[in-house]
Amino acid sequence: MAMRRQELEAAKEGRDMYQEDWLNAPWGTEDKPVEVTSSCHERIVGVPDPYDDSIIWWGTIEEGQPPKQIVETGEFFVLKRVPESDGHGGHTIV
């Protein structure tokens, strides 16, 4: 029942709580990696295979880790920690 209530509240606010936001950022280099935000100390990142974009390669990036490539010749990613939200409108948990 709680999940249905969250769905209804999201719909009332004009949000789709199941929407997956794809990161839209410039190509990440070792010197200027893509900053992936997370309130957790690690995050899963998926990137398309350079030779077959129907294949997605998954890897993890961790807080404090140097820029990381998920696939060879691919772009670099780094985790940027952000405050945790309560999941209801983005209020920061203190």
Side-chain angles (χ1 to χ4, degrees):
M1 190 69 153
M3 181 62 76
R4 182 64 181 145
R5 181 179 177 148
Q6 290 177 359
E7 291 171 342
L8 292 171
E9 287 177 1
K12 185 175 155 184
E13 296 171 6
R15 296 184 293 112
D16 177 359
M17 66 182 272
Y18 299 108
Q19 173 65 37
E20 293 183 23
D21 292 328
W22 294 93
L23 185 61
N24 185 11
W27 184 265
T29 65
E30 193 166 9
D31 294 329
K32 287 193 84 166
V34 173
E35 288 186 343
V36 179
T37 58
S38 179
S39 61
C40 299
H41 71 279
E42 68 180 1
R43 179 103 184 243
I44 298 172
V45 176
V47 297
D49 184 281
Y51 305 106
D52 181 352
D53 63 5
S54 68
I55 298 171
I56 303 297
W57 292 97
W58 299 94
T60 57
I61 55 175
E62 298 177 20
E63 183 178 25
Q65 189 178 53
K68 180 177 180 180
Q69 282 180 305
I70 305 301
V71 296
E72 198 171 320
T73 74
E75 59 188 315
F76 287 81
F77 299 90
V78 68
L79 185 115
K80 179 181 179 183
R81 192 85 180 258
V82 294
E84 188 172 341
S85 125
D86 68 1
H88 299 285
H91 304 288
T92 300
I93 296 175
V94 290

